[in-house]
């Protein structure tokens, strides 16, 4: 993107009247991103208040992710007012320079947003399923996410040397291949989302609850798979951008739209497991009927080797606000061979 020639002047008529369909899709994506991500986090905080619990580490991390999401949306808005959706040959020099500077910085903000979403999910897993294996796995994945985010940001900053060559191709220097950078950014992103998707399932299916409750609880965590889908779609759009020619301001619209949607869906998926108090408030009869209808399983985790007893009065199989295992009195006795 940085190596495309910038015009000395533009045609004001075309720049002032860009493709309205493209512009409309960007505006809709921005509204979608702002309203839904803000609502999801606000409902999460409201659920904490209704449940009478303090904010946990995963709550603070998702708040930081939301702030980065706002920063990303502000960057897209600046792009919109400086040529996004217009043909590059029709954009005045000063606007194109602003456009490319934002194009250089916005991926760094996006990566930070995605990283904090993942860290929030991992902190939630550690809090709900605080078994030694889960804590170890979450710590390992968290280290990988942090290293990934740092490497993407460092490479993004140094994508061109000197840095200002990114928005001024007349400066002597060189730039890395954009496609390789996009692959390096998105493939680890996709892989970590796959890991986050499957991490809680073993713990959920080891809980001493009925199969119906396990399916429902698993379904909430699996909603994060939507983020995985948008990860892949965004990667395809980014690769298409590198092959679509020099008209980057016009061709970049799909990437911008999918970027807004991906981060928003990630925030929503991270907040869903924390919203149970709101369902209890609005549809208490539904939850009571669900519990009475499905009941609690009395089967041990491993019938051949374990006997499990628990206080069902305090048991809450749906998104407990603290450690799922610590909320109950559970004793496991191993039978002698």
């Amino acid at each position: 993107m940085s190596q495309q020639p910038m015009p000395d002047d533009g045609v004001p008529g075309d720049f002032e009247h860009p493709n309205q369909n493209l512009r409309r899709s960007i505006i809709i994506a921005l509204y979608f991103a702002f309203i839904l991500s803000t609502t999801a986090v606000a409902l999460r905080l409201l659920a904490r208040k209704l449940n009478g619990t303090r904010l946990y580490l995963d709550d603070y991390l998702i708040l930081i992710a939301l702030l980065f999401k706002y920063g990303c949306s502000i960057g897209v808005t600046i792009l919109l007012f400086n040529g996004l959706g217009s043909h590059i040959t029709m954009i005045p020099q000063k606007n194109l320079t602003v456009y490319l500077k934002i194009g250089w910085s916005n991926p760094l903000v996006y990566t930070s947003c995605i990283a904090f979403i993942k860290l929030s999910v991992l902190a939630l897993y550690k809090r709900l399923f605080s078994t030694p294996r889960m804590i170890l796995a979450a710590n390992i994945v968290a280290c990988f996410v942090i290293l990934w985010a740092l490497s993407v940001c460092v490479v993004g900053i140094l994508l061109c040397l000197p840095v200002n060559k990114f928005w001024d191709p007349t400066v002597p220097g060189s730039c890395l291949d954009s496609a390789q950078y996009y692959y390096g950014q998105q493939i680890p992103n996709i892989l970590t989302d796959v890991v986050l998707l499957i991490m809680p399932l073993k713990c959920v299916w080891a809980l001493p609850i009925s199969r119906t409750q396990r399916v429902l609880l698993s379904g909430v965590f699996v909603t994060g798979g939507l983020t995985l889908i948008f990860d892949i779609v965004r990667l395809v759009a980014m690769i298409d951008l590198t092959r679509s020619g020099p008209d980057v301001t016009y061709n970049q619209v799909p990437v911008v739209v999918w970027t807004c949607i991906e981060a928003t869906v990630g925030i929503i998926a991270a907040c869903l497991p924390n919203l149970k108090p709101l369902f209890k408030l609005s549809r208490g009869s539904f939850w009571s009927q669900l519990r009475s209808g499905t009941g609690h399983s009395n089967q041990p985790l491993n019938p051949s080797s374990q006997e499990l007893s628990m206080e069902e009065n305090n048991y809450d199989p749906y998104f407990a606000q603290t450690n799922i295992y610590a909320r109950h009195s559970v004793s496991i006795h191993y039978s002698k061979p």
Side-chain angles (χ1 to χ4, degrees):
M1 183 170 69
S2 61
Q3 301 182 35
Q4 305 305 329
M6 294 187 293
D8 294 330
D9 200 358
V11 179
D14 188 84
F15 177 66
E16 294 296 331
H17 301 85
N19 187 302
Q20 292 302 321
N21 289 331
L22 293 179
R23 187 181 182 88
R24 189 178 300 111
S25 65
I26 299 167
I27 294 174
I28 291 173
L30 284 173
Y31 276 118
F32 172 87
F34 177 81
I35 295 175
L36 293 187
S37 59
T38 302
T39 301
V41 175
L43 291 176
R44 178 177 182 150
L45 299 180
L46 178 61
R48 287 283 183 267
K49 182 176 179 62
L50 292 176
N51 207 49
T53 56
R54 62 181 177 85
L55 295 182
Y56 298 98
L57 176 61
D58 48 295
D59 299 314
Y60 290 110
L61 291 173
I62 204 66
L63 283 171
I64 297 175
L66 182 63
L67 293 178
F68 276 110
K69 180 68 191 71
Y70 289 160
C72 193
S73 297
I74 292 172
V76 172
T77 303
I78 296 174
L79 292 178
L80 192 62
F81 282 96
N82 285 276
L84 182 61
S86 299
H87 292 287
I88 193 170
T89 55
M90 303 300 176
I91 302 175
Q93 174 77 37
K94 61 178 182 179
N95 297 96
L96 190 56
T97 300
V98 173
Y99 184 99
L100 293 175
K101 287 182 177 180
I102 296 299
W104 171 80
S105 61
N106 225 28
L108 311 181
V109 180
Y110 158 82
T111 301
S112 301
C113 174
I114 297 299
F116 277 103
I117 293 173
K118 295 177 189 292
L119 293 175
S120 175
V121 173
L122 290 168
L124 176 69
Y125 289 171
K126 290 176 64 176
R127 178 165 60 83
L128 295 185
F129 310 105
S130 57
T131 61
R133 287 186 178 181
M134 176 59 77
I135 292 175
L136 177 61
N139 288 338
I140 292 174
V141 177
C143 290
F144 181 84
V145 169
I146 293 172
L147 291 176
W148 164 76
L150 290 175
S151 62
V152 169
C153 289
V154 170
V155 174
I157 292 173
L158 303 177
L159 195 60
C160 290
L161 291 176
V163 172
N164 62 336
K165 182 174 176 57
F166 191 94
W167 55 83
D168 186 1
T170 62
V171 175
S174 61
C175 296
L176 295 177
D177 180 62
S178 297
Q180 294 180 0
Y181 175 68
Y182 294 153
Y183 278 122
Q185 181 187 60
Q186 281 299 100
I187 290 179
N189 185 21
I190 293 171
L191 293 178
T192 51
D193 276 347
V194 172
V195 173
L196 291 177
L197 190 63
I198 63 178
M199 277 182 67
L201 298 183
K202 183 177 180 180
C203 291
V204 169
W205 284 87
L207 290 173
I209 56 179
S210 69
R211 178 178 294 272
T212 302
Q213 292 170 327
R214 291 171 185 166
V215 171
L216 291 173
L217 188 54
S218 299
V220 172
F221 288 109
V222 170
T223 54
L226 293 175
T227 307
L228 177 62
I229 295 174
F230 290 120
D231 287 343
I232 298 173
V233 173
R234 182 175 182 269
L235 175 60
V236 173
M238 294 168 78
I239 299 305
D240 288 342
L241 175 63
T242 64
R243 300 171 179 172
S244 58
D247 197 1
V248 62
T249 55
Y250 185 85
N251 296 325
Q252 197 175 15
V253 171
V255 175
V256 172
V257 171
W258 290 118
T259 298
C260 292
I261 295 175
E262 178 198 353
T264 300
V265 172
I267 290 176
I268 294 173
C271 291
L272 279 179
N274 299 273
L275 303 185
K276 184 212 166 184
L278 302 181
F279 287 98
K280 290 178 65 177
L281 179 66
S282 61
R283 301 190 65 180
S285 59
F286 168 78
W287 290 101
S288 60
Q289 290 174 4
L290 182 61
R291 289 188 180 185
S292 62
T294 57
H296 297 295
S297 172
N298 294 321
Q299 297 298 323
L301 299 181
N302 187 346
S304 63
S305 62
Q306 301 175 1
E307 295 178 2
L308 186 146
S309 63
M310 59 187 298
E311 296 177 0
E312 293 191 2
N313 292 335
N314 295 328
Y315 191 67
D316 183 3
Y318 301 102
F319 335 132
Q321 299 302 314
T322 53
N323 177 3
I324 281 182
Y325 297 105
R327 287 283 301 271
H328 335 299
S329 173
V330 178
S331 60
I332 299 177
H333 306 283
Y334 294 91
S335 58
K336 295 181 180 180

